[in-house]
Amino acid sequence: MENLSRRRMLELSGALGALGAFSLAAPAHAQPWRWSPAGSIPGAGSGADPRTVWDTEADPLVASLLDRGDVPRVNELLRTWTKNGQPLPDGLPGDLREFMEQARQLPAWADPGKLETAVRFNEKRGLYLGVLYGFASGMMSTVIPKEALAVYYSQGGANMKRRISKTAKLGYDIGTRNAYLPDGEMAVTAVKTRLVHAAVRHLLPQSPHWEHAAPENIPISQHDMMVTWHSLPTTVMRTLKAWKVPVAAAEADGFLHSWQISAHMLGIEDQYIPATWDQAESQAVEVLDPILAPTPEGIKLADILLDLGAGLDFTLLTRPILGALTRFMLGNEIADWLNIPREPVWGTLLDVAWGPFVAVREGLLPLPLAPEAYWTFDELLRQFVLLYMSELRPISIEIPEFNNPNYR
């Protein structure tokens, strides 16, 4: 019995669920899957619980690449593949080439018109998006327990600066004018990220540290990917509404569509991708909101993120200001979970002046009413964009070969 792992205990608890003891103590994310595929892009599907579905195409392929020692050569070759329309490099294993040729294609339901509208949205809201991806979505990831565990114990946890850079690249690439066009990079970023996820699914179960902390046998399920997805576009749209930023319906739909395509290209089955913002909200209420919680690993990751601006010549991006932004965007409960102290000066300024600042930027209040703090906020947004840009080049998303070496 001394070798009985936590995972095995959870499996036994599930088997005893009929006795009622486990079900009484089960957290919200352990409840039955209820979201209907009728709300998805195809409007139908098997309805299979996404917590029991991973990536049936990429997972066995990448496991094979790792087991037969092909990953170093593949990574070297893929460093030269940077544009959506660029031919795949010569020398790739045949099975990988076949998979990537299919995976790089946009789904049949992709709408060029909506993607053009998404460009307008990204251009108009680009300054907001930089800070939202960084300190709404980014900090939220540290209180998504399974994501925090996967990041902390995988290879990405060994170099969070590089891990942050790769996440920033995805957020940047999807917002570019040519994101999914032949000269863009979003399809490349999505396919490479899909390969990384498959590698993590193969490698993490080999880590005894992750095994004793994780409540699952295999990480990054379809459910986990949708949780992360909602921490990005759904959280962004929720926050823009809370800030009373006026967003035209067509632009909101275009923004959603760009992220729907990203979900598909990251390997999420269409039956789990919400068809509308209303459906996205209904799914987020089920899969994202109830599962947010602190973990020791997430708290450590948040501490690293708060030093995001360290060493850069961006005087505004200090730890106290980033902490105040986190508390302002995600609320007191999450900030307290992450041991982020209250900042009386910046916290009060954000609470009092951010709403009018947004109104001034959106032309809802006349500019002469803007105090000096508004210009400080505008510069803060601009520095976030510079920070993201500074972290992007050169960035190569590569298939990992091992877990966090500090936790082998």
Side-chain angles (χ1 to χ4, degrees), residues 134-135 139 142 160-162 164 299-314 316-324 326 340-341 384 387 390-391:
F135 272 79
M139 291 301 288
T142 68
M160 280 301 295
K161 197 74 170 176
R162 185 169 295 277
I164 291 164
I299 291 170
K300 293 173 185 175
L301 293 177
D303 187 63
I304 294 170
L305 282 170
L306 287 175
D307 286 329
L308 192 65
L312 298 173
D313 190 22
F314 300 147
L316 272 177
L317 298 185
T318 63
R319 185 181 179 94
I321 294 176
L322 298 184
T326 301
I340 297 174
F384 254 98
L387 175 62
S390 73
E391 291 296 318

PDB file of all heavy atoms in Angstrom, residues 134-135 139 142 160-162 164 299-314 316-324 326 340-341 384 387 390-391:
ATOM      1  N   GLY A 134      -1.606  39.696 -21.233  1.00  0.00           N
ATOM      2  CA  GLY A 134      -0.544  39.523 -20.263  1.00  0.00           C
ATOM      3  C   GLY A 134      -1.037  39.374 -18.842  1.00  0.00           C
ATOM      4  O   GLY A 134      -0.634  38.454 -18.133  1.00  0.00           O
ATOM      5  N   PHE A 135      -1.954  40.283 -18.422  1.00  0.00           N
ATOM      6  CA  PHE A 135      -2.269  40.298 -17.000  1.00  0.00           C
ATOM      7  C   PHE A 135      -3.734  40.069 -16.684  1.00  0.00           C
ATOM      8  O   PHE A 135      -4.143  40.216 -15.548  1.00  0.00           O
ATOM      9  CB  PHE A 135      -1.751  41.582 -16.352  1.00  0.00           C
ATOM     10  CG  PHE A 135      -0.343  41.377 -15.913  1.00  0.00           C
ATOM     11  CD1 PHE A 135       0.688  41.442 -16.835  1.00  0.00           C
ATOM     12  CD2 PHE A 135      -0.047  41.028 -14.615  1.00  0.00           C
ATOM     13  CE1 PHE A 135       1.986  41.193 -16.450  1.00  0.00           C
ATOM     14  CE2 PHE A 135       1.251  40.781 -14.218  1.00  0.00           C
ATOM     15  CZ  PHE A 135       2.278  40.861 -15.131  1.00  0.00           C
ATOM     16  N   MET A 139      -2.105  36.004 -15.991  1.00  0.00           N
ATOM     17  CA  MET A 139      -2.154  35.745 -14.558  1.00  0.00           C
ATOM     18  C   MET A 139      -3.256  34.751 -14.210  1.00  0.00           C
ATOM     19  O   MET A 139      -3.120  33.986 -13.260  1.00  0.00           O
ATOM     20  CB  MET A 139      -2.344  37.049 -13.794  1.00  0.00           C
ATOM     21  CG  MET A 139      -1.135  37.964 -13.842  1.00  0.00           C
ATOM     22  SD  MET A 139       0.389  37.225 -13.162  1.00  0.00           S
ATOM     23  CE  MET A 139       0.003  37.211 -11.422  1.00  0.00           C
ATOM     24  N   THR A 142      -2.317  31.092 -13.813  1.00  0.00           N
ATOM     25  CA  THR A 142      -1.679  30.611 -12.598  1.00  0.00           C
ATOM     26  C   THR A 142      -2.688  30.113 -11.573  1.00  0.00           C
ATOM     27  O   THR A 142      -2.295  29.470 -10.588  1.00  0.00           O
ATOM     28  CB  THR A 142      -0.807  31.708 -11.955  1.00  0.00           C
ATOM     29  OG1 THR A 142      -1.645  32.762 -11.465  1.00  0.00           O
ATOM     30  CG2 THR A 142       0.192  32.264 -12.957  1.00  0.00           C
ATOM     31  N   MET A 160      10.795  30.197 -17.462  1.00  0.00           N
ATOM     32  CA  MET A 160       9.518  30.869 -17.627  1.00  0.00           C
ATOM     33  C   MET A 160       9.598  32.070 -18.557  1.00  0.00           C
ATOM     34  O   MET A 160       8.625  32.426 -19.206  1.00  0.00           O
ATOM     35  CB  MET A 160       8.975  31.293 -16.264  1.00  0.00           C
ATOM     36  CG  MET A 160       8.311  30.164 -15.501  1.00  0.00           C
ATOM     37  SD  MET A 160       6.916  29.437 -16.413  1.00  0.00           S
ATOM     38  CE  MET A 160       5.789  30.833 -16.453  1.00  0.00           C
ATOM     39  N   LYS A 161      10.745  32.700 -18.644  1.00  0.00           N
ATOM     40  CA  LYS A 161      10.884  33.834 -19.560  1.00  0.00           C
ATOM     41  C   LYS A 161      10.640  33.371 -20.996  1.00  0.00           C
ATOM     42  O   LYS A 161       9.911  34.004 -21.760  1.00  0.00           O
ATOM     43  CB  LYS A 161      12.285  34.429 -19.425  1.00  0.00           C
ATOM     44  CG  LYS A 161      12.401  35.825 -20.020  1.00  0.00           C
ATOM     45  CD  LYS A 161      11.714  36.838 -19.137  1.00  0.00           C
ATOM     46  CE  LYS A 161      12.028  38.254 -19.572  1.00  0.00           C
ATOM     47  NZ  LYS A 161      11.307  39.255 -18.789  1.00  0.00           N
ATOM     48  N   ARG A 162      11.220  32.236 -21.344  1.00  0.00           N
ATOM     49  CA  ARG A 162      11.018  31.706 -22.692  1.00  0.00           C
ATOM     50  C   ARG A 162       9.593  31.201 -22.862  1.00  0.00           C
ATOM     51  O   ARG A 162       8.980  31.368 -23.910  1.00  0.00           O
ATOM     52  CB  ARG A 162      12.022  30.578 -22.963  1.00  0.00           C
ATOM     53  CG  ARG A 162      11.979  30.047 -24.387  1.00  0.00           C
ATOM     54  CD  ARG A 162      13.149  29.135 -24.661  1.00  0.00           C
ATOM     55  NE  ARG A 162      14.404  29.876 -24.607  1.00  0.00           N
ATOM     56  CZ  ARG A 162      14.892  30.573 -25.622  1.00  0.00           C
ATOM     57  NH1 ARG A 162      14.234  30.644 -26.757  1.00  0.00           N
ATOM     58  NH2 ARG A 162      16.040  31.196 -25.505  1.00  0.00           N
ATOM     59  N   ILE A 164       6.920  32.367 -21.395  1.00  0.00           N
ATOM     60  CA  ILE A 164       6.092  33.557 -21.556  1.00  0.00           C
ATOM     61  C   ILE A 164       6.227  34.104 -22.970  1.00  0.00           C
ATOM     62  O   ILE A 164       5.259  34.534 -23.595  1.00  0.00           O
ATOM     63  CB  ILE A 164       6.497  34.626 -20.519  1.00  0.00           C
ATOM     64  CG1 ILE A 164       6.105  34.149 -19.117  1.00  0.00           C
ATOM     65  CG2 ILE A 164       5.831  35.963 -20.822  1.00  0.00           C
ATOM     66  CD1 ILE A 164       6.788  34.930 -18.012  1.00  0.00           C
ATOM     67  N   ILE A 299       1.183  29.778  -7.507  1.00  0.00           N
ATOM     68  CA  ILE A 299       1.672  30.936  -6.758  1.00  0.00           C
ATOM     69  C   ILE A 299       3.111  31.250  -7.157  1.00  0.00           C
ATOM     70  O   ILE A 299       3.485  32.418  -7.327  1.00  0.00           O
ATOM     71  CB  ILE A 299       1.554  30.667  -5.242  1.00  0.00           C
ATOM     72  CG1 ILE A 299       0.070  30.629  -4.835  1.00  0.00           C
ATOM     73  CG2 ILE A 299       2.295  31.739  -4.443  1.00  0.00           C
ATOM     74  CD1 ILE A 299      -0.157  30.130  -3.419  1.00  0.00           C
ATOM     75  N   LYS A 300       3.932  30.226  -7.333  1.00  0.00           N
ATOM     76  CA  LYS A 300       5.319  30.445  -7.756  1.00  0.00           C
ATOM     77  C   LYS A 300       5.376  31.008  -9.172  1.00  0.00           C
ATOM     78  O   LYS A 300       6.191  31.895  -9.468  1.00  0.00           O
ATOM     79  CB  LYS A 300       6.096  29.139  -7.668  1.00  0.00           C
ATOM     80  CG  LYS A 300       6.292  28.638  -6.235  1.00  0.00           C
ATOM     81  CD  LYS A 300       6.931  27.250  -6.211  1.00  0.00           C
ATOM     82  CE  LYS A 300       7.013  26.705  -4.793  1.00  0.00           C
ATOM     83  NZ  LYS A 300       7.525  25.311  -4.758  1.00  0.00           N
ATOM     84  N   LEU A 301       4.507  30.504 -10.060  1.00  0.00           N
ATOM     85  CA  LEU A 301       4.486  31.026 -11.431  1.00  0.00           C
ATOM     86  C   LEU A 301       4.050  32.485 -11.445  1.00  0.00           C
ATOM     87  O   LEU A 301       4.589  33.300 -12.200  1.00  0.00           O
ATOM     88  CB  LEU A 301       3.546  30.182 -12.294  1.00  0.00           C
ATOM     89  CG  LEU A 301       3.973  28.742 -12.564  1.00  0.00           C
ATOM     90  CD1 LEU A 301       2.901  28.016 -13.357  1.00  0.00           C
ATOM     91  CD2 LEU A 301       5.298  28.688 -13.301  1.00  0.00           C
ATOM     92  N   ALA A 302       3.058  32.833 -10.627  1.00  0.00           N
ATOM     93  CA  ALA A 302       2.599  34.220 -10.562  1.00  0.00           C
ATOM     94  C   ALA A 302       3.724  35.135 -10.091  1.00  0.00           C
ATOM     95  O   ALA A 302       3.880  36.256 -10.597  1.00  0.00           O
ATOM     96  CB  ALA A 302       1.396  34.328  -9.636  1.00  0.00           C
ATOM     97  N   ASP A 303       4.509  34.665  -9.146  1.00  0.00           N
ATOM     98  CA  ASP A 303       5.630  35.448  -8.642  1.00  0.00           C
ATOM     99  C   ASP A 303       6.617  35.752  -9.768  1.00  0.00           C
ATOM    100  O   ASP A 303       7.155  36.857  -9.861  1.00  0.00           O
ATOM    101  CB  ASP A 303       6.310  34.682  -7.512  1.00  0.00           C
ATOM    102  CG  ASP A 303       7.383  35.509  -6.829  1.00  0.00           C
ATOM    103  OD1 ASP A 303       7.053  36.546  -6.236  1.00  0.00           O
ATOM    104  OD2 ASP A 303       8.563  35.108  -6.895  1.00  0.00           O
ATOM    105  N   ILE A 304       6.827  34.759 -10.636  1.00  0.00           N
ATOM    106  CA  ILE A 304       7.717  34.968 -11.783  1.00  0.00           C
ATOM    107  C   ILE A 304       7.109  35.973 -12.752  1.00  0.00           C
ATOM    108  O   ILE A 304       7.792  36.870 -13.268  1.00  0.00           O
ATOM    109  CB  ILE A 304       7.993  33.628 -12.492  1.00  0.00           C
ATOM    110  CG1 ILE A 304       8.784  32.699 -11.565  1.00  0.00           C
ATOM    111  CG2 ILE A 304       8.758  33.849 -13.796  1.00  0.00           C
ATOM    112  CD1 ILE A 304       8.906  31.277 -12.086  1.00  0.00           C
ATOM    113  N   LEU A 305       5.804  35.854 -13.012  1.00  0.00           N
ATOM    114  CA  LEU A 305       5.143  36.756 -13.958  1.00  0.00           C
ATOM    115  C   LEU A 305       5.180  38.207 -13.481  1.00  0.00           C
ATOM    116  O   LEU A 305       5.259  39.133 -14.293  1.00  0.00           O
ATOM    117  CB  LEU A 305       3.691  36.319 -14.172  1.00  0.00           C
ATOM    118  CG  LEU A 305       3.486  35.120 -15.099  1.00  0.00           C
ATOM    119  CD1 LEU A 305       2.048  34.640 -15.035  1.00  0.00           C
ATOM    120  CD2 LEU A 305       3.855  35.475 -16.531  1.00  0.00           C
ATOM    121  N   LEU A 306       5.118  38.416 -12.174  1.00  0.00           N
ATOM    122  CA  LEU A 306       5.137  39.781 -11.657  1.00  0.00           C
ATOM    123  C   LEU A 306       6.485  40.459 -11.894  1.00  0.00           C
ATOM    124  O   LEU A 306       6.588  41.682 -11.800  1.00  0.00           O
ATOM    125  CB  LEU A 306       4.810  39.783 -10.164  1.00  0.00           C
ATOM    126  CG  LEU A 306       3.346  39.501  -9.818  1.00  0.00           C
ATOM    127  CD1 LEU A 306       3.167  39.406  -8.313  1.00  0.00           C
ATOM    128  CD2 LEU A 306       2.436  40.578 -10.402  1.00  0.00           C
ATOM    129  N   ASP A 307       7.507  39.680 -12.203  1.00  0.00           N
ATOM    130  CA  ASP A 307       8.810  40.244 -12.539  1.00  0.00           C
ATOM    131  C   ASP A 307       9.018  40.327 -14.052  1.00  0.00           C
ATOM    132  O   ASP A 307      10.147  40.416 -14.529  1.00  0.00           O
ATOM    133  CB  ASP A 307       9.933  39.395 -11.927  1.00  0.00           C
ATOM    134  CG  ASP A 307      10.045  39.599 -10.426  1.00  0.00           C
ATOM    135  OD1 ASP A 307       9.745  40.714  -9.961  1.00  0.00           O
ATOM    136  OD2 ASP A 307      10.414  38.648  -9.723  1.00  0.00           O
ATOM    137  N   LEU A 308       7.900  40.293 -14.791  1.00  0.00           N
ATOM    138  CA  LEU A 308       7.969  40.271 -16.258  1.00  0.00           C
ATOM    139  C   LEU A 308       8.788  41.419 -16.829  1.00  0.00           C
ATOM    140  O   LEU A 308       9.513  41.270 -17.800  1.00  0.00           O
ATOM    141  CB  LEU A 308       6.543  40.317 -16.828  1.00  0.00           C
ATOM    142  CG  LEU A 308       6.352  40.032 -18.305  1.00  0.00           C
ATOM    143  CD1 LEU A 308       6.741  38.599 -18.628  1.00  0.00           C
ATOM    144  CD2 LEU A 308       4.903  40.287 -18.704  1.00  0.00           C
ATOM    145  N   GLY A 309       8.675  42.596 -16.218  1.00  0.00           N
ATOM    146  CA  GLY A 309       9.374  43.760 -16.754  1.00  0.00           C
ATOM    147  C   GLY A 309      10.779  43.944 -16.226  1.00  0.00           C
ATOM    148  O   GLY A 309      11.466  44.894 -16.616  1.00  0.00           O
ATOM    149  N   ALA A 310      11.224  43.082 -15.333  1.00  0.00           N
ATOM    150  CA  ALA A 310      12.556  43.234 -14.745  1.00  0.00           C
ATOM    151  C   ALA A 310      13.639  43.142 -15.815  1.00  0.00           C
ATOM    152  O   ALA A 310      13.599  42.296 -16.695  1.00  0.00           O
ATOM    153  CB  ALA A 310      12.781  42.156 -13.685  1.00  0.00           C
ATOM    154  N   GLY A 311      14.584  44.023 -15.735  1.00  0.00           N
ATOM    155  CA  GLY A 311      15.704  43.985 -16.664  1.00  0.00           C
ATOM    156  C   GLY A 311      15.431  44.683 -17.978  1.00  0.00           C
ATOM    157  O   GLY A 311      16.313  44.775 -18.821  1.00  0.00           O
ATOM    158  N   LEU A 312      14.192  45.193 -18.146  1.00  0.00           N
ATOM    159  CA  LEU A 312      13.872  45.926 -19.362  1.00  0.00           C
ATOM    160  C   LEU A 312      13.775  47.418 -19.039  1.00  0.00           C
ATOM    161  O   LEU A 312      13.488  47.804 -17.906  1.00  0.00           O
ATOM    162  CB  LEU A 312      12.544  45.428 -19.951  1.00  0.00           C
ATOM    163  CG  LEU A 312      12.522  43.953 -20.371  1.00  0.00           C
ATOM    164  CD1 LEU A 312      11.105  43.539 -20.773  1.00  0.00           C
ATOM    165  CD2 LEU A 312      13.477  43.709 -21.524  1.00  0.00           C
ATOM    166  N   ASP A 313      14.007  48.250 -20.030  1.00  0.00           N
ATOM    167  CA  ASP A 313      14.019  49.688 -19.802  1.00  0.00           C
ATOM    168  C   ASP A 313      12.605  50.263 -19.912  1.00  0.00           C
ATOM    169  O   ASP A 313      12.344  51.204 -20.634  1.00  0.00           O
ATOM    170  CB  ASP A 313      14.945  50.365 -20.819  1.00  0.00           C
ATOM    171  CG  ASP A 313      15.183  51.825 -20.480  1.00  0.00           C
ATOM    172  OD1 ASP A 313      15.008  52.187 -19.293  1.00  0.00           O
ATOM    173  OD2 ASP A 313      15.535  52.599 -21.390  1.00  0.00           O
ATOM    174  N   PHE A 314      11.678  49.636 -19.157  1.00  0.00           N
ATOM    175  CA  PHE A 314      10.294  50.108 -19.134  1.00  0.00           C
ATOM    176  C   PHE A 314       9.994  50.490 -17.684  1.00  0.00           C
ATOM    177  O   PHE A 314       9.614  49.668 -16.871  1.00  0.00           O
ATOM    178  CB  PHE A 314       9.330  49.028 -19.605  1.00  0.00           C
ATOM    179  CG  PHE A 314       9.564  48.553 -21.004  1.00  0.00           C
ATOM    180  CD1 PHE A 314       9.303  47.240 -21.357  1.00  0.00           C
ATOM    181  CD2 PHE A 314      10.058  49.408 -21.975  1.00  0.00           C
ATOM    182  CE1 PHE A 314       9.507  46.798 -22.644  1.00  0.00           C
ATOM    183  CE2 PHE A 314      10.257  48.977 -23.262  1.00  0.00           C
ATOM    184  CZ  PHE A 314       9.996  47.665 -23.611  1.00  0.00           C
ATOM    185  N   LEU A 316       7.679  51.940 -16.127  1.00  0.00           N
ATOM    186  CA  LEU A 316       6.342  51.767 -15.559  1.00  0.00           C
ATOM    187  C   LEU A 316       6.057  50.327 -15.158  1.00  0.00           C
ATOM    188  O   LEU A 316       5.211  50.075 -14.297  1.00  0.00           O
ATOM    189  CB  LEU A 316       5.274  52.228 -16.549  1.00  0.00           C
ATOM    190  CG  LEU A 316       4.895  53.707 -16.500  1.00  0.00           C
ATOM    191  CD1 LEU A 316       3.873  54.012 -17.581  1.00  0.00           C
ATOM    192  CD2 LEU A 316       4.347  54.101 -15.145  1.00  0.00           C
ATOM    193  N   LEU A 317       6.720  49.368 -15.807  1.00  0.00           N
ATOM    194  CA  LEU A 317       6.372  47.971 -15.579  1.00  0.00           C
ATOM    195  C   LEU A 317       7.090  47.412 -14.355  1.00  0.00           C
ATOM    196  O   LEU A 317       7.830  46.441 -14.424  1.00  0.00           O
ATOM    197  CB  LEU A 317       6.680  47.140 -16.833  1.00  0.00           C
ATOM    198  CG  LEU A 317       5.902  47.546 -18.079  1.00  0.00           C
ATOM    199  CD1 LEU A 317       6.190  46.578 -19.209  1.00  0.00           C
ATOM    200  CD2 LEU A 317       4.409  47.591 -17.815  1.00  0.00           C
ATOM    201  N   THR A 318       6.859  48.050 -13.211  1.00  0.00           N
ATOM    202  CA  THR A 318       7.444  47.584 -11.966  1.00  0.00           C
ATOM    203  C   THR A 318       6.530  46.551 -11.323  1.00  0.00           C
ATOM    204  O   THR A 318       5.340  46.457 -11.639  1.00  0.00           O
ATOM    205  CB  THR A 318       7.642  48.754 -10.994  1.00  0.00           C
ATOM    206  OG1 THR A 318       6.358  49.299 -10.676  1.00  0.00           O
ATOM    207  CG2 THR A 318       8.517  49.832 -11.608  1.00  0.00           C
ATOM    208  N   ARG A 319       7.068  45.793 -10.409  1.00  0.00           N
ATOM    209  CA  ARG A 319       6.304  44.749  -9.742  1.00  0.00           C
ATOM    210  C   ARG A 319       5.056  45.304  -9.028  1.00  0.00           C
ATOM    211  O   ARG A 319       3.980  44.721  -9.142  1.00  0.00           O
ATOM    212  CB  ARG A 319       7.217  44.004  -8.768  1.00  0.00           C
ATOM    213  CG  ARG A 319       6.579  42.804  -8.100  1.00  0.00           C
ATOM    214  CD  ARG A 319       7.541  42.147  -7.129  1.00  0.00           C
ATOM    215  NE  ARG A 319       6.924  41.012  -6.470  1.00  0.00           N
ATOM    216  CZ  ARG A 319       7.022  39.752  -6.886  1.00  0.00           C
ATOM    217  NH1 ARG A 319       7.735  39.462  -7.952  1.00  0.00           N
ATOM    218  NH2 ARG A 319       6.425  38.783  -6.223  1.00  0.00           N
ATOM    219  N   PRO A 320       5.137  46.415  -8.291  1.00  0.00           N
ATOM    220  CA  PRO A 320       3.922  46.928  -7.647  1.00  0.00           C
ATOM    221  C   PRO A 320       2.816  47.290  -8.626  1.00  0.00           C
ATOM    222  O   PRO A 320       1.631  47.041  -8.356  1.00  0.00           O
ATOM    223  CB  PRO A 320       4.428  48.166  -6.893  1.00  0.00           C
ATOM    224  CG  PRO A 320       5.871  47.902  -6.654  1.00  0.00           C
ATOM    225  CD  PRO A 320       6.340  47.162  -7.875  1.00  0.00           C
ATOM    226  N   ILE A 321       3.186  47.867  -9.774  1.00  0.00           N
ATOM    227  CA  ILE A 321       2.157  48.248 -10.738  1.00  0.00           C
ATOM    228  C   ILE A 321       1.548  47.009 -11.377  1.00  0.00           C
ATOM    229  O   ILE A 321       0.327  46.923 -11.561  1.00  0.00           O
ATOM    230  CB  ILE A 321       2.748  49.192 -11.803  1.00  0.00           C
ATOM    231  CG1 ILE A 321       3.162  50.515 -11.162  1.00  0.00           C
ATOM    232  CG2 ILE A 321       1.739  49.440 -12.915  1.00  0.00           C
ATOM    233  CD1 ILE A 321       3.843  51.475 -12.095  1.00  0.00           C
ATOM    234  N   LEU A 322       2.380  46.022 -11.700  1.00  0.00           N
ATOM    235  CA  LEU A 322       1.838  44.796 -12.282  1.00  0.00           C
ATOM    236  C   LEU A 322       0.958  44.063 -11.277  1.00  0.00           C
ATOM    237  O   LEU A 322      -0.062  43.465 -11.643  1.00  0.00           O
ATOM    238  CB  LEU A 322       2.976  43.894 -12.759  1.00  0.00           C
ATOM    239  CG  LEU A 322       3.861  44.482 -13.859  1.00  0.00           C
ATOM    240  CD1 LEU A 322       4.893  43.461 -14.318  1.00  0.00           C
ATOM    241  CD2 LEU A 322       3.029  44.948 -15.042  1.00  0.00           C
ATOM    242  N   GLY A 323       1.329  44.117 -10.008  1.00  0.00           N
ATOM    243  CA  GLY A 323       0.476  43.523  -8.981  1.00  0.00           C
ATOM    244  C   GLY A 323      -0.845  44.250  -8.860  1.00  0.00           C
ATOM    245  O   GLY A 323      -1.907  43.622  -8.723  1.00  0.00           O
ATOM    246  N   ALA A 324      -0.807  45.583  -8.898  1.00  0.00           N
ATOM    247  CA  ALA A 324      -2.041  46.365  -8.830  1.00  0.00           C
ATOM    248  C   ALA A 324      -2.937  46.079 -10.040  1.00  0.00           C
ATOM    249  O   ALA A 324      -4.167  45.983  -9.907  1.00  0.00           O
ATOM    250  CB  ALA A 324      -1.707  47.855  -8.759  1.00  0.00           C
ATOM    251  N   THR A 326      -3.040  43.279 -11.729  1.00  0.00           N
ATOM    252  CA  THR A 326      -3.605  41.943 -11.535  1.00  0.00           C
ATOM    253  C   THR A 326      -4.812  42.002 -10.604  1.00  0.00           C
ATOM    254  O   THR A 326      -5.865  41.420 -10.889  1.00  0.00           O
ATOM    255  CB  THR A 326      -2.550  40.994 -10.961  1.00  0.00           C
ATOM    256  OG1 THR A 326      -1.447  40.924 -11.861  1.00  0.00           O
ATOM    257  CG2 THR A 326      -3.120  39.598 -10.752  1.00  0.00           C
ATOM    258  N   ILE A 340      -0.530  38.542  -3.643  1.00  0.00           N
ATOM    259  CA  ILE A 340      -0.184  39.839  -4.225  1.00  0.00           C
ATOM    260  C   ILE A 340      -0.633  40.937  -3.257  1.00  0.00           C
ATOM    261  O   ILE A 340      -1.827  41.034  -2.956  1.00  0.00           O
ATOM    262  CB  ILE A 340      -0.847  40.024  -5.602  1.00  0.00           C
ATOM    263  CG1 ILE A 340      -0.309  38.970  -6.585  1.00  0.00           C
ATOM    264  CG2 ILE A 340      -0.617  41.428  -6.137  1.00  0.00           C
ATOM    265  CD1 ILE A 340      -1.012  38.975  -7.922  1.00  0.00           C
ATOM    266  N   PRO A 341       0.273  41.757  -2.752  1.00  0.00           N
ATOM    267  CA  PRO A 341      -0.122  42.783  -1.777  1.00  0.00           C
ATOM    268  C   PRO A 341      -0.962  43.884  -2.426  1.00  0.00           C
ATOM    269  O   PRO A 341      -0.881  44.125  -3.636  1.00  0.00           O
ATOM    270  CB  PRO A 341       1.218  43.332  -1.282  1.00  0.00           C
ATOM    271  CG  PRO A 341       2.178  43.060  -2.395  1.00  0.00           C
ATOM    272  CD  PRO A 341       1.719  41.778  -3.040  1.00  0.00           C
ATOM    273  N   PHE A 384       3.263  47.771 -22.470  1.00  0.00           N
ATOM    274  CA  PHE A 384       2.938  46.353 -22.539  1.00  0.00           C
ATOM    275  C   PHE A 384       3.118  45.829 -23.950  1.00  0.00           C
ATOM    276  O   PHE A 384       3.636  44.724 -24.151  1.00  0.00           O
ATOM    277  CB  PHE A 384       1.497  46.113 -22.075  1.00  0.00           C
ATOM    278  CG  PHE A 384       1.412  45.492 -20.718  1.00  0.00           C
ATOM    279  CD1 PHE A 384       1.196  46.265 -19.602  1.00  0.00           C
ATOM    280  CD2 PHE A 384       1.571  44.123 -20.566  1.00  0.00           C
ATOM    281  CE1 PHE A 384       1.133  45.695 -18.354  1.00  0.00           C
ATOM    282  CE2 PHE A 384       1.511  43.540 -19.322  1.00  0.00           C
ATOM    283  CZ  PHE A 384       1.291  44.331 -18.203  1.00  0.00           C
ATOM    284  N   LEU A 387       6.703  45.419 -24.518  1.00  0.00           N
ATOM    285  CA  LEU A 387       7.195  44.259 -23.786  1.00  0.00           C
ATOM    286  C   LEU A 387       6.926  42.986 -24.564  1.00  0.00           C
ATOM    287  O   LEU A 387       7.789  42.128 -24.728  1.00  0.00           O
ATOM    288  CB  LEU A 387       6.533  44.196 -22.409  1.00  0.00           C
ATOM    289  CG  LEU A 387       6.854  42.961 -21.563  1.00  0.00           C
ATOM    290  CD1 LEU A 387       8.342  42.908 -21.252  1.00  0.00           C
ATOM    291  CD2 LEU A 387       6.047  42.972 -20.279  1.00  0.00           C
ATOM    292  N   SER A 390       9.204  42.834 -27.528  1.00  0.00           N
ATOM    293  CA  SER A 390      10.600  42.559 -27.185  1.00  0.00           C
ATOM    294  C   SER A 390      10.820  41.091 -26.873  1.00  0.00           C
ATOM    295  O   SER A 390      11.926  40.580 -27.004  1.00  0.00           O
ATOM    296  CB  SER A 390      11.020  43.400 -25.976  1.00  0.00           C
ATOM    297  OG  SER A 390      10.446  42.913 -24.781  1.00  0.00           O
ATOM    298  N   GLU A 391       9.750  40.393 -26.446  1.00  0.00           N
ATOM    299  CA  GLU A 391       9.877  38.991 -26.084  1.00  0.00           C
ATOM    300  C   GLU A 391       9.708  38.055 -27.279  1.00  0.00           C
ATOM    301  O   GLU A 391       9.853  36.850 -27.146  1.00  0.00           O
ATOM    302  CB  GLU A 391       8.829  38.640 -25.028  1.00  0.00           C
ATOM    303  CG  GLU A 391       9.086  39.289 -23.678  1.00  0.00           C
ATOM    304  CD  GLU A 391      10.364  38.801 -23.041  1.00  0.00           C
ATOM    305  OE1 GLU A 391      10.640  37.594 -23.083  1.00  0.00           O
ATOM    306  OE2 GLU A 391      11.103  39.632 -22.502  1.00  0.00           O
TER     307      GLU A 391
END
